[in-house]
Amino acid sequence: MRSERDKIGEILLEDEKLYGIQTARAMDNFKLEHKKTSLQLIYALVTIKKAAAMTYQKLGVGKDGVYAGISQVCDMILQGKLDDAFVTEALQGGAGTSTNMNVNEVIANLTLLKLGFKKGSYDIVHPLDDVNRGQSTNDVYPTALRIAAIQMLRKLSEACAQLQQALQTKENEFDSILKLGRTELMDAVPITLGQEFGSYAQAVARDRWRLYKVEERLRQVNMGGTAVGIGNNAERKYRFGVIEVLRELTGIGLATAEYPMDITQNNDVFVEVSGLLKALAVNLMKISNDLRLMNSGPRGGLSEITLAPLQMGSTIMPGKVNPVIPEMVMQVSMRVMANDVAISTAAAHGEFELNAFLPLIADSLLESMGLLLNAAELFRTKCIEQIKPNPERCRELLELSYAFTAAYTPFLGYDKVREIIEKSSGDPQKAKEMLDE
């Protein structure tokens, strides 16, 4: 065991633990048993700590070997070998301070071990004086969230592009299959199955473009602004240098915000991004529900398409197969919509110079991105690409309807066509003969 002390008192830690007293307090205070802080966010924070260490190395400040050691330790963490050391709950008080301290303490103790000292020897490498030098949770946490969000957005935009392509492939494949169009679930006019899939592709294409473009707003960061955005306790050369290093490490065109206090106070950019994620969720839900309806049956429903049979659908009804992928995608969409409400509410509570609820924004935003990324991939590979059309059934339903009658309206007038439909006694073929006369 080792002992660590802060203003509140002393805590004994198991010696193998890489985190320190502040992380231990957070673990005790926030026992939600919900989920841990996103590793994407942790890795982005670690990347920031590395950028800071590299900047201080360039400036030639700090104790011998400390910042070189910190930089090397960050590389170890970014390889995914120490994920278990990051233990804070995703939802926490303090605007993310507990997660920042978890990262600071782990890096400090790993650096101590690398330099040949015992964990907790903070007179040699201190979590705050060295790892967190010139920083505040209030600039590193939102900057990390922007980095993580951009990285996820790029992947999600690409997943949307692939989904769009799959839908366009089906558009071409189904182009000659006539079927019944429907409005408000009622028979409408003839269309092709390809046209329906082409419309789905257009919707996803808009989502892909919107997500690609919104990255621009996330590139402005308040790094170097420290507590409230005015740069307290951060050297001028460090503030400018750390952004350059971050750009190199991330491959993202990050820029210091023109007004860093704005970025520290206000989180409307995350609300904007969440809104675009919600728009994608809305489109995916709409498409998924259409596919469920078109697949319904196989005897008592529409059965215009057949989805791939992926697993048994009932523990009591043999042979039943459910549209499980569209159902999963719809549930993901519902979660994203719920997260959007959480993000909007949390962002609205950014009182004065800081938003205390940024952990909820971070968790909800990154969860939505991760869910949509995986859902789009599964939707494409396990559903869209494997859809089989049922042309005979499409034609059967079309011929059983009065969809063709709309073509006669410009010549005979609406009321005349309606009268003939009524006189046909529910027989579309008879109605067609009467209209042709």
Side-chain angles (χ1 to χ4, degrees), residues 288 307-308 310 322-330 375 378-380 382-384:
S288 296
L307 302 181
L310 298 177
N322 296 327
V324 292
I325 298 299
E327 290 171 352
M328 177 271 294
V329 172
M330 291 178 72
L378 291 168
F379 195 34
R380 175 176 62 86
K382 290 184 175 289
C383 181
I384 301 300

Side-chain angles (χ1 to χ4, degrees), residues 180 393-402 404 428-429:
L180 179 62
R393 178 62 173 166
C394 288
R395 179 167 287 278
E396 177 189 2
L397 292 175
L398 178 60
E399 291 177 349
L400 286 172
S401 77
Y402 286 98
F404 64 89
Q429 185 59 40

Side-chain angles (χ1 to χ4, degrees), residues 226-238:
T226 67
V228 297
I230 58 176
N232 304 75
N233 300 338
E235 298 96 325
R236 186 174 184 278
K237 289 183 178 179
Y238 159 78

Side-chain angles (χ1 to χ4, degrees), residues 348-424:
H349 276 283
E351 291 86 10
F352 299 118
E353 279 65 62
L354 181 66
N355 191 309
F357 307 102
L358 196 55
L360 175 59
I361 294 174
D363 182 56
S364 300
L365 190 72
L366 295 177
E367 179 183 71
S368 290
M369 288 180 176
L371 284 171
L372 286 170
L373 175 61
N374 292 330
E377 173 70 12
L378 291 168
F379 195 34
R380 175 176 62 86
T381 58
K382 290 184 175 289
C383 181
I384 301 300
E385 291 178 349
Q386 299 191 51
I387 289 175
K388 302 297 182 186
N390 299 324
E392 297 80 10
R393 178 62 173 166
C394 288
R395 179 167 287 278
E396 177 189 2
L397 292 175
L398 178 60
E399 291 177 349
L400 286 172
S401 77
Y402 286 98
F404 64 89
T405 59
Y408 290 86
T409 303
F411 307 103
L412 302 177
Y414 186 96
D415 290 335
K416 180 66 174 176
V417 173
R418 176 181 54 78
E419 290 174 6
I420 291 174
I421 291 173
E422 291 173 353
K423 291 177 181 178
S424 69

